Amino acid sequence: MDSYRPESDRDPQETQEWVESLEAVVEHEGRARAQFLLAKVLEKARRERAEPLLPLTTDYVNTIPVEEEPAFPGDEEIEERIRAYIRWNAAVMVHRANHRSEGIGGHISTYASSAVLYDVGFNHFFRGKDAPGRGDQIYYQGHAVPGIYARSFLEGRLGKEQLERFRSEAERGKGLSSYPHPRLMQEYWEFPTVSMGLGPIGSIYQARFNRYLQARGLKDTSQQRVYCFVGDGESDEPETLGALQIAMREGLDNLIWVVNCNLQRLDGPVRGNGKIIQDLEGTFRGAGWNVIKVIWGEEWDGVLARDKHGVLRDHLNAVVDGQWQRFSVASGETVRKEFFAKDPRMLETVAHLSDEQIGKLRRGGHSQRKVYAAFQRATQLAGQGRPVVILAHTVKGWLLGGGFEGSNVTHSRKKFENAELAAYRDVLSVPIEDKDLADPPYYHPGENSLEVKYLKERRRQLGGTLPERRVQVDVQLELPPAEAYQEFYKGMEKGEASTTMVFGRLLQTLIRDKKIGKRIVPIVPDEARTFGMEGLFSQVGIYAAQGQLYEPIDKGKLIYYRETKDGQVLEEGITEAGSMASFIAAASSYSTHGQPMIPFYIFYSMFGFQRTGDQMWAAGDQMSRGFILGATAGRTTLNGEGLQHEDGHSLLHAMTVPCCKAYDISFGFELAAIVEDGMKRMFTDNENIYYYITLQNENYRMPPMPDGAKEGVLAGIYRFQAAQEKKQKHVQLFGSGSIMLQVLRAQEILAERFGVSADVWGVTSYQQLRADALSCERWNRLHPDAEAKTPYISKVLKDVPGPFIAASDYMKTLQESIARWIPGRYVPLGTDGFGMSDSREALRRHFEVDAENIVIAALDALRQEGKLTGADVAKAIRDLGVDAGKLDPLLV
Ligand SMILES: Cc1ncc(C[n+]2csc(CCOP(=O)(O)OP(=O)(O)O)c2C)c(N)n1
Ligand SMILES: [Mg+2]
């Protein structure tokens, strides 16, 4: 801000008068009055177009002035001893694991920097699951978990045997997971956080979902807070900061973030040439958050009090993080010489301190008093309509000694040298003898020690021990009766519909259900109209924390944009990452709140797995239950939108998530069968699975379900339509999605023009068929002396003669995934290659998945079986009008 430099002051005396009047107000009437006056002056300045271009940042000092700090309510000494034991056990756990198993990994320095942040939270703020509403929801920084396990060890929740099984999980249920993974420790971790950025965005939408449950009268969440611990390096992930404004817009004063600003990430400083805390302060304040900076420990109080001219503050503001990192481990003498001596007035501020004392000027994040003050202020701000962030200045590897502390390699250090361990033991005063250090033991002060009693008493008063994931569901759902789905099983007598339209109808049916209707959570990122679902807006309303503060332009029409405080639809706007975070919050509500909710998240299929695949993976970890629907799916079915929109591969992505059941449906009855069964599996049988179903937008008549087809629809394959009469030349055709229509036309062409009969099979899920076959194969391998199990696909195709032609709007790899279990010649047809814009006919011809190409594939397969000649097929190609010299879609 050049114009604010001292040298551009034209009238220093006038300036001084203004400054002095402000000082006088602060002194005589207090800060609040000064803030009020300044706000008024600024308001006027805005009118006069004279507003200053001031930065959004404050000085590089604590936000809470010393006089406003509360007294620390705990027993400082006991808490420090508890922390020393936790620190020791956390570090020793990682060290021992790496001795046992070289390269197993783990992190020592992250928790070392954030121990106070967690301890103050655990001892004074975080409410356990017995607190009202099931207490607080806490997202722990993934790499800090050794400290969390070490706390549970002191509490007696985890034994030595378990600490010894850190990162040793193959024996299921006995080990401790590397990071917070609910799926691997189902009664312990609630939220997976280690993929940087996903915890932070998840916490925002979790806090919002809590409000949604409240507003809709489903649960009282008013006492609950969401805490999220974030790394400063992690803040560079777009997901971390990308949704801050949502927290402000929704008034999430139930949300508190704690950013552990140790100024380092894995390779080096987060902002060597800048100041991450100031960067974050500006960003959060700009987004409307309350920012509480905890920069300096109480040793600095006296120093800052002596900074009469603000010179020290100016210098604190100016020093960049790379330099702070160096100062964090430099001797007091060096800091005096290289920092304080820059200005004699600054030197004055530490004149009363010895070099040793200067060396012990701590960062604020290591002071339990300062951190307590920050948490207390943060929780007091609840009810004021804004989320809060605590930016805590810390040192990475704090107290771990020279090899770790502040060092650029600290993140990757997994073991101690013996001398380092001895020094650490001394710093922490843990009673361990020298002779034991070669194989360093854990330390537990005993069940009856003051420390353990204190620790447990704190947790008892705060509503129970944490972390905890409660698996107990408070409400058992009564799912809709079979009749609810009848119209879909019956099919349509006239007219046409797409699977997307059928879905819209099915969703309506479910929402109208008396029992579970209110538990349906439709989630959509600004595409409801694309999917024909805008009727929901007026029917059940769009959730809006503030209600509707305007008269919608379409009011009075049958369907209008109705926002309301108890709206049911989560209309997220254009954020697939936000929508996915909402999905996870709703889909895990059965455990996080004991309230099962049934989310249906519908999106443009190209922008699902491909764009937010890591969240889909995290959804699996968090044991989400719900339905995700990839609409406008199919590389050639969504035809006009071109290369970036046309999805021919999301089903392959879906295959990579072990708990995801992926289906590619052609007909309404398939959708109904899958949703009906899925609801039962997830909400009655409590299976930890979720569904991915592709929906397409091509209209055609929805047929009735063939008798007995339901089992096959769910398992992945069923015979949809047998040949009218079986000829000597016979083939099997598989169809999925709307390519099924091409398959049915191919069946006709083959019969009418080439004398070839064909059975048509609906393949709803290659993924399910493959998973089942793999599982049978594995069982048979390990039980060679028992009666072999037969995969579903083999049972269904037993005695079915080939050849088999399998066509879909997806890459051929999908069909190929079951090739080993097909009892005959097998030809996959699919849409490998980049999409483009054209008519469906042209695209299907291009990708060779139209009826004509399916016919050609069938005839060619018969040629290979010796039933036709090359000349026969070549003639057919010409007769069908297919250009044999056309481009190879894979190569363009
Ligand atoms: C998406 C993602 N990318 C990379 C990593 C690997 N990784 C783990 S920790 C880490 C550095 C973390 O730095 P910071 O967030 O500052 O945490 P600190 O340990 O300093 O508290 C990295 C890059 C990851 N876990 N997730
Ligand atoms: Mg960091």
Side-chain angles (χ1 to χ4, degrees):
M1 295 303 126
D2 287 353
S3 53
Y4 306 128
R5 283 208 177 135
E7 57 270 27
S8 37
D9 191 347
R10 276 195 291 141
D11 186 348
Q13 197 185 332
E14 186 189 35
T15 310
Q16 188 59 19
E17 282 164 17
W18 279 72
V19 171
E20 277 168 13
S21 0
L22 181 72
E23 280 172 355
V25 175
V26 173
E27 193 175 336
H28 300 297
E29 299 181 61
R31 281 198 184 86
R33 175 68 186 154
Q35 281 171 337
F36 178 82
L37 288 176
L38 277 177
K40 279 282 162 200
V41 172
L42 278 174
E43 206 176 287
K44 186 67 186 157
R46 208 158 50 227
R47 295 287 128 72
E48 302 293 338
R49 301 278 156 93
E51 69 271 40
L53 288 174
L54 282 174
L56 277 165
T57 51
T58 57
D59 278 338
Y60 204 57
V61 296
N62 297 347
T63 304
I64 302 174
V66 182
E67 330 67 90
E68 291 178 20
E69 267 173 34
F72 187 77
D75 182 322
E76 290 192 77
E77 263 179 50
I78 290 194
E79 291 198 22
E80 263 165 29
R81 275 209 304 284
I82 291 171
R83 184 155 50 255
Y85 302 152
I86 295 178
R87 282 181 185 283
W88 174 261
N89 290 326
V92 162
M93 182 182 74
V94 178
H95 173 86
R96 292 180 64 88
N98 284 275
H99 267 282
R100 256 193 332 273
S101 176
E102 184 66 45
I104 198 82
H107 300 83
I108 298 178
S109 298
T110 300
Y111 180 72
S113 64
S114 53
V116 173
L117 307 179
Y118 286 107
D119 271 2
V120 169
F122 277 119
N123 290 337
H124 301 281
F125 295 95
F126 304 159
R127 288 165 303 193
K129 300 290 177 207
D130 296 331
R134 274 205 187 188
D136 297 331
Q137 296 167 330
I138 302 166
Y139 290 69
Y140 304 90
Q141 212 188 331
H143 298 73
V145 299
I148 312 299
Y149 293 139
R151 166 170 281 267
S152 297
F153 171 68
L154 279 199
E155 288 178 344
R157 281 179 78 194
L158 298 177
K160 280 185 194 161
E161 327 69 58
Q162 275 163 300
L163 296 195
E164 285 293 274
R165 284 173 173 265
F166 174 55
R167 295 193 169 215
S168 189
E169 304 183 84
E171 247 184 284
R172 207 32 97 81
K174 296 198 172 158
L176 301 182
S177 59
S178 49
Y179 302 111
H181 292 302
R183 189 167 281 272
L184 298 175
M185 291 177 69
Q186 305 201 353
E187 293 176 5
Y188 196 87
W189 295 119
E190 237 181 340
F191 305 105
T193 49
V194 78
S195 178
M196 316 234 122
L198 301 193
I201 193 172
S203 73
I204 292 176
Y205 283 86
Q206 181 67 49
R208 165 148 161 292
F209 186 73
N210 294 357
R211 289 281 162 82
Y212 170 90
L213 285 181
Q214 174 93 28
R216 298 200 46 230
L218 288 158
K219 187 192 162 203
D220 181 3
T221 59
S222 60
Q223 303 293 306
Q224 297 184 275
R225 292 197 186 102
V226 177
Y227 288 92
C228 182
F229 286 83
V230 185
D232 51 357
E234 181 175 17
S235 71
D236 281 337
E237 289 285 0
E239 288 90 343
T240 304
L241 299 183
L244 293 189
Q245 81 290 353
I246 306 289
M248 174 59 192
R249 186 188 77 196
E250 303 276 327
L252 299 181
D253 54 14
N254 55 345
L255 178 65
I256 296 173
W257 278 17
V258 184
V259 187
N260 173 23
C261 298
N262 52 29
L263 316 188
Q264 290 180 240
R265 44 180 160 71
L266 192 156
D267 285 338
V270 180
R271 296 279 189 281
N273 294 322
K275 287 171 95 67
I276 182 66
I277 295 182
Q278 302 298 87
D279 277 8
L280 292 175
E281 181 183 29
T283 305
F284 278 92
R285 286 178 63 148
W289 288 50
N290 266 309
V291 177
I292 304 173
K293 293 200 291 191
V294 188
I295 312 276
W296 307 116
E298 53 266 33
E299 304 79 13
W300 284 82
D301 291 346
V303 179
L304 285 160
R306 288 176 167 77
D307 179 32
K308 295 283 179 246
H309 311 282
V311 184
L312 174 58
R313 280 175 172 76
D314 284 344
H315 280 81
L316 294 174
N317 295 344
V319 171
V320 294
D321 285 357
Q323 197 65 16
W324 281 126
Q325 187 187 350
R326 205 172 77 78
F327 286 150
S328 73
V329 292
S331 70
E333 192 190 350
T334 311
V335 176
R336 190 193 303 268
K337 261 209 294 232
E338 294 188 18
F339 177 68
F340 288 104
K342 280 188 186 162
D343 186 302
R345 290 169 293 179
M346 243 207 318
L347 208 47
E348 269 301 295
T349 63
V350 286
H352 63 300
L353 299 182
S354 67
D355 284 348
E356 200 192 339
Q357 285 171 313
I358 292 183
K360 288 191 173 151
L361 290 171
R362 287 180 306 172
R363 308 296 186 247
H366 301 309
S367 153
Q368 56 188 6
R369 288 190 204 170
K370 301 287 183 193
V371 171
Y372 178 84
F375 270 90
Q376 199 220 35
R377 170 76 58 93
T379 51
Q380 279 170 349
L381 289 168
Q384 298 193 14
R386 287 164 188 260
V388 182
V389 63
I390 296 172
L391 303 175
H393 190 188
T394 61
V395 175
K396 195 151 175 168
W398 175 242
L399 298 186
L400 288 168
F404 289 83
E405 223 169 73
S407 131
N408 272 338
V409 299
T410 194
H411 192 86
S412 313
R413 285 211 53 191
K414 320 287 176 202
K415 280 194 261 186
F416 291 86
E417 301 299 333
N418 271 3
E420 290 174 324
L421 263 181
Y424 196 38
R425 178 225 28 216
D426 294 345
V427 165
L428 300 176
S429 304
V430 186
I432 305 271
E433 292 188 34
D434 279 346
K435 66 174 174 45
D436 294 329
L437 289 176
D439 182 20
Y442 299 109
Y443 179 72
H444 195 287
E447 271 303 288
N448 294 319
S449 62
L450 279 180
E451 292 86 348
V452 170
K453 281 190 182 153
Y454 182 93
L455 193 72
K456 287 189 163 175
E457 179 55 18
R458 292 306 313 145
R459 290 310 319 159
R460 198 187 59 75
Q461 290 195 12
L462 285 161
T465 177
L466 283 172
E468 183 188 351
R469 178 176 179 275
R470 284 242 164 129
V471 267
Q472 160 207 336
V473 175
D474 293 341
V475 189
Q476 198 51 52
L477 300 191
E478 201 180 311
L479 295 177
E483 300 84 71
Y485 301 92
Q486 279 325 302
E487 66 164 294
F488 304 97
Y489 292 132
K490 278 210 309 253
M492 303 163 75
E493 272 162 29
K494 53 182 186 334
E496 294 189 331
S498 66
T499 45
T500 306
M501 288 156 74
V502 175
F503 167 72
R505 234 189 119 67
L506 178 60
L507 191 63
Q508 292 269 1
T509 308
L510 295 174
I511 285 180
R512 286 202 193 103
D513 183 88
K514 293 261 174 320
K515 296 280 178 5
I516 56 125
K518 61 178 186 294
R519 293 187 179 268
I520 304 284
V521 186
I523 304 170
V524 61
D526 199 37
E527 295 283 359
R529 291 181 203 279
T530 315
F531 309 141
M533 288 167 46
E534 64 272 40
L536 287 180
F537 294 167
S538 21
Q539 188 196 335
V540 291
I542 295 164
Y543 171 70
Q546 297 173 295
Q548 193 152 37
L549 306 177
Y550 59 96
E551 193 171 329
I553 188 164
D554 43 9
K555 185 134 189 201
K557 301 210 169 119
L558 195 58
I559 290 172
Y560 72 101
Y561 201 82
R562 186 166 78 93
E563 301 195 63
T564 157
K565 285 186 178 168
D566 62 352
Q568 189 161 356
V569 179
L570 289 177
E571 160 63 88
E572 303 291 13
I574 311 170
T575 166
E576 282 76 13
S579 305
M580 195 54 208
S582 274
F583 172 80
I584 294 174
S588 58
S589 170
Y590 71 91
S591 73
T592 54
H593 287 290
Q595 292 288 329
M597 300 296 285
I598 312 173
F600 285 86
Y601 165 34
I602 181 165
F603 52 88
Y604 234 114
S605 78
M606 194 67 155
F607 307 125
F609 274 92
Q610 175 157 288
R611 188 167 181 124
T612 62
D614 205 14
Q615 286 176 300
M616 310 284 199
W617 187 253
D621 191 350
Q622 202 168 317
M623 287 175 289
S624 301
R625 299 174 187 168
F627 296 93
I628 57 180
L629 301 123
T632 49
R635 185 99 74 211
T636 66
T637 306
L638 176 70
N639 56 312
E641 294 294 316
L643 187 151
Q644 191 73 64
H645 284 70
E646 292 163 7
D647 164 35
H649 49 278
S650 64
L651 287 161
L652 291 176
H653 288 300
M655 241 182 187
T656 62
V657 181
C659 62
C660 171
K661 310 282 156 202
Y663 286 89
D664 185 17
I665 57 162
S666 305
F667 302 126
F669 66 79
E670 297 174 352
L671 179 69
I674 294 161
V675 170
E676 183 182 11
D677 184 62
M679 301 251 270
K680 177 180 166 298
R681 288 181 68 173
M682 293 187 287
F683 299 102
T684 304
D685 305 342
N686 293 322
E687 283 191 60
N688 292 317
I689 53 176
Y690 68 80
Y691 283 73
Y692 176 59
I693 306 171
T694 50
L695 299 175
Q696 306 195 335
N697 63 356
E698 185 168 356
N699 293 327
Y700 42 84
R701 174 81 44 91
M702 292 293 152
M705 181 162 74
D707 282 345
K710 199 169 183 176
E711 179 193 294
V713 167
L714 299 176
I717 187 167
Y718 66 99
R719 186 167 10 217
F720 176 65
Q721 188 171 289
Q724 282 193 341
E725 99 188 69
K726 192 163 177 222
K727 307 222 164 103
Q728 190 256 329
K729 289 194 281 283
H730 188 74
V731 294
Q732 310 295 331
L733 303 179
F734 293 176
S736 311
S738 44
I739 293 302
M740 180 57 127
L741 276 271
Q742 301 301 316
V743 170
L744 289 168
R745 202 155 65 78
Q747 183 191 34
E748 275 173 34
I749 300 174
L750 281 166
E752 286 167 12
R753 294 177 59 180
F754 300 98
V756 174
S757 56
D759 294 339
V760 171
W761 302 76
V763 181
T764 50
S765 180
Y766 285 96
Q767 180 227 32
Q768 287 298 290
L769 293 174
R770 177 167 186 273
D772 163 72
L774 286 177
S775 158
C776 290
E777 203 173 70
R778 171 190 168 275
W779 194 90
N780 294 343
R781 184 166 60 245
L782 295 175
H783 303 86
D785 46 357
E787 192 188 334
K789 292 189 178 185
T790 312
Y792 189 82
I793 180 80
S794 309
K795 271 189 235 164
V796 170
L797 297 184
K798 186 165 180 284
D799 302 327
V800 173
F804 300 82
I805 317 298
S808 85
D809 222 356
Y810 280 79
M811 288 173 66
K812 299 178 184 77
T813 316
L814 190 65
Q815 289 92 290
E816 270 163 5
S817 68
I818 61 163
R820 279 194 293 125
W821 299 281
I822 303 293
R825 185 172 303 283
Y826 185 50
V827 186
L829 296 178
T831 55
D832 298 52
F834 283 117
M836 65 187 88
S837 312
D838 210 316
S839 65
R840 283 190 184 128
E841 295 70 40
L843 289 181
R844 287 169 180 169
R845 177 59 54 96
H846 170 79
F847 283 107
E848 296 154 20
V849 292
D850 59 355
E852 288 74 12
N853 275 288
I854 296 169
V855 169
I856 292 168
L859 297 177
D860 189 57
L862 289 169
R863 171 186 70 78
Q864 293 189 54
E865 309 225 315
K867 295 187 176 161
L868 288 172
T869 66
D872 293 336
V873 184
K875 177 168 185 313
I877 294 175
R878 282 194 302 278
D879 291 352
L880 289 163
V882 171
D883 173 9
K886 68 185 269 302
L887 288 172
D888 178 347
L890 187 57
L891 305 181
V892 292

